[in-house]
Amino acid sequence: VHSSFDKELARFFRQVGDGRPKYHMVKWADICLPKERGGLGIPASRRMNVALMLRWVWRILRGD
């Protein structure tokens, strides 16, 4: 699921207005980097999912 979501997101950012694909000048992994490290700050879905699940685990353990 994560792969297909990231694939569609990358396709959205990497096409011209009429839907034609354009040349990839930067790797998708580099685009997903934080802005401080030269990326666009777009979160990768797998990392975001793990972060949100850990947040829920933390809340459960704290009794929130």
Side-chain angles (χ1 to χ4, degrees), residues 1-7 44-47 49-50:
V1 172
H2 295 290
S3 305
S4 63
F5 179 76
D6 286 341
K7 186 178 186 181
S45 66
R46 185 174 302 275
R47 288 183 189 161
N49 187 35
V50 169

Side-chain angles (χ1 to χ4, degrees), residues 5-51:
F5 179 76
D6 286 341
K7 186 178 186 181
E8 292 301 320
L9 189 60
R11 188 177 296 155
F12 172 77
F13 281 103
R14 292 180 167 169
Q15 54 181 300
V16 184
D18 60 0
R20 292 180 294 128
K22 59 183 176 180
Y23 184 71
H24 303 169
M25 299 181 78
V26 180
K27 292 187 288 183
W28 183 247
D30 293 340
I31 291 174
C32 292
L33 288 174
K35 290 181 181 180
E36 299 83 32
R37 294 182 51 203
L40 294 178
I42 298 169
S45 66
R46 185 174 302 275
R47 288 183 189 161
M48 187 61 130
N49 187 35
V50 169

